[in-house]
Amino acid sequence: MCGRTACTLAPDELCRACSIRTVGADGQKQYQPLAWRDHPNNQSYSPSTNMAPSRFTPVIISEHQQRGVKRSQEGEEQPPQRIIQPMKWGLIPPFHKGPSAEGHGYSTTNSRLEDVETKATYKPCLAKGQRCVVLCDGFYEWQSTKGTKNKQPYFIYASQPKEIKIWDRDSWDKPDVWSEEEGWKGPQLLKMAGLFSYWKSSEGEEVMSYSVLTTEASKKFSVLHTRVPVILETDEEVEMWLDSARVNYKEALQMLRLKDEAELEWHPVSTEVNNSRNQQPDLQQPVSLDKKPPNTAGSRFMSAWLSKASPHKSKTLVKEEVHSVKEEEKIKEENSTNPQ
């Protein structure tokens, strides 16, 4: 499953991070950033460390999906170009009718690779070649903690070049992070296989939306979750998935089913990410799982009080005040569990 992501690069950075190496008329090899196109109706993308479904996030599509197959003056088919544009996370079924994209009642954040071609929600997208690549820094997953009802969030991401920490912009945001000669030298993004749809409301509103394909997790990843997004690791895999004019959907799905699971890395992060309203810039950063005293109102009070207390203050007085704070917390707890 994939229900929360981080995507912190700006549009121009995303275009450079997905650069394609080309060969010019003079035979020189150089890197070319992808083009960015805004979503219809000014639905914009805003970078975030805590991206939830229904947000507009960046995806790569083939220009064939927008302009059809391009041909040269001699009639030869030209290779399709890739475009990045925001789409709404959570595919709107093609058959949905009404004035709003909301309320269709289907869970479309993810779609299962094993049976996606049998589902009425996704089969029209496959038939029309509406395949996309969803971009993100990484995604979050929650692991059940043994013996408790709590779940520990983890941030999962692609293996990174040496010295780069994808959660630490200072580790890679340098003047030479991209050049035409060397391409992108910043963090490696996750590229997840997805399907997208065009939808138009009865009021004329246009919405492009997508679903992330998932598959059964390997034994290694299953310690976190039984499902994992289908990750495209190589440019060849991205090309095959996007080029619906050359690779039909059955061949493309078979390619995904046969490919090895991606090499992923992960680390624990703060439970602040549990609430999608939290948007702190440090949500992706690693945290220690060493047990610490609970961060209660009483513990915060005592920490502040002790930091100001005189070193000659009697131990008896300290114990009495600690006892007073604990009694106050006990009374509050009893009042909350036994309302009048």
Side-chain angles (χ1 to χ4, degrees):
M1 181 172 179
C2 178
R4 202 79 62 79
T5 66
C7 194
T8 61
L9 299 192
D12 62 320
E13 293 173 324
L14 287 164
C15 291
R16 292 197 296 268
C18 299
S19 298
I20 297 177
R21 192 169 73 167
T22 61
V23 180
D26 57 359
Q28 294 294 318
K29 295 179 180 179
Q30 62 180 19
Y31 286 86
Q32 180 180 350
L34 300 192
W36 177 275
R37 183 173 52 230
D38 293 327
H39 186 279
N41 306 317
N42 298 317
Q43 295 286 1
S44 61
Y45 154 69
S46 297
S48 169
T49 57
N50 199 0
M51 197 80 77
S54 80
R55 293 280 299 272
F56 281 78
T57 79
V59 304
I60 305 175
I61 60 173
S62 167
E63 68 173 347
H64 283 174
Q65 289 299 330
Q66 292 292 321
R67 305 186 181 95
V69 176
K70 293 177 68 176
R71 297 185 181 277
S72 65
Q73 292 182 347
E74 291 75 25
E76 296 180 353
E77 182 177 329
Q78 296 181 337
Q81 300 298 310
R82 300 174 191 173
I83 299 166
I84 302 179
Q85 79 160 71
M87 291 189 190
K88 184 174 183 175
W89 187 5
L91 187 142
I92 304 167
F95 50 78
H96 176 58
K97 306 293 183 183
S100 171
E102 311 301 330
H104 54 73
Y106 289 82
S107 177
T108 57
T109 301
N110 301 146
S111 45
R112 293 170 56 92
L113 176 62
E114 293 88 337
D115 56 11
V116 66
E117 59 185 314
T118 68
K119 303 297 183 182
T121 304
Y122 305 111
K123 196 165 184 179
C125 305
L126 285 169
K128 294 178 182 178
Q130 292 171 348
R131 310 195 300 248
C132 64
V133 175
V134 182
L135 300 173
C136 63
D137 299 7
F139 65 98
Y140 297 99
E141 198 54 80
W142 281 258
Q143 181 189 48
S144 297
T145 305
K146 292 182 179 180
T148 74
K149 295 181 179 179
N150 300 324
K151 289 188 175 183
Q152 173 60 47
Y154 284 79
F155 182 59
I156 300 102
Y157 49 96
S159 296
Q160 298 297 311
K162 189 178 180 181
E163 308 298 336
I164 288 183
K165 298 176 181 178
I166 196 167
W167 59 91
D168 180 9
R169 177 174 278 269
D170 290 340
S171 72
W172 60 266
D173 193 3
K174 315 294 182 184
D176 64 344
V177 70
W178 183 86
S179 67
E180 289 185 348
E181 296 75 28
E182 299 182 82
W184 178 254
K185 294 188 288 185
Q188 297 302 303
L189 301 179
L190 275 188
K191 297 175 180 177
M192 305 185 290
L195 297 173
F196 72 94
S197 76
Y198 295 98
W199 182 81
K200 194 170 185 177
S201 74
S202 56
E203 306 296 324
E205 178 190 13
E206 294 181 55
V207 182
M208 297 179 72
S209 59
Y210 71 86
S211 178
V212 175
L213 282 165
T214 67
T215 189
E216 186 176 352
S218 67
K219 184 177 181 180
K220 179 182 177 182
F221 189 82
S222 63
V223 299
L224 295 182
H225 202 278
T226 57
R227 306 289 298 177
V228 65
V230 179
I231 308 297
L232 303 172
E233 292 185 281
T234 67
D235 196 62
E236 290 73 23
E237 290 175 350
V238 170
E239 182 66 26
M240 282 192 67
W241 180 244
L242 289 178
D243 194 355
S244 58
R246 182 174 59 89
V247 183
N248 66 53
Y249 80 80
K250 289 187 177 293
E251 294 173 328
L253 290 176
Q254 185 66 1
M255 180 269 292
L256 298 185
R257 290 168 181 147
L258 294 178
K259 73 182 296 296
D260 295 331
E261 185 174 297
E263 287 295 323
L264 298 173
E265 299 180 7
W266 56 82
H267 59 247
V269 294
S270 168
T271 53
E272 289 290 318
V273 77
N274 293 0
N275 189 332
S276 61
R277 290 192 293 271
N278 293 333
Q279 295 290 322
Q280 297 93 312
D282 61 353
L283 292 180
Q284 300 162 279
Q285 293 187 5
V287 299
S288 172
L289 295 183
D290 293 339
K291 290 185 178 180
K292 298 179 180 179
N295 186 26
T296 64
S299 65
R300 290 194 296 272
F301 170 83
M302 284 306 302
S303 177
W305 183 87
L306 288 172
S307 67
K308 298 177 181 179
S310 166
H312 302 294
K313 196 161 188 175
S314 76
K315 294 182 179 179
T316 301
L317 184 56
V318 171
K319 288 182 179 178
E320 289 176 353
E321 295 192 10
V322 169
H323 179 75
S324 175
V325 170
K326 289 184 176 178
E327 283 296 316
E328 183 180 347
E329 287 190 337
K330 182 177 180 182
I331 291 171
K332 288 181 179 179
E333 183 178 353
E334 289 175 349
N335 288 339
S336 65
T337 55
N338 299 290
Q340 299 299 317

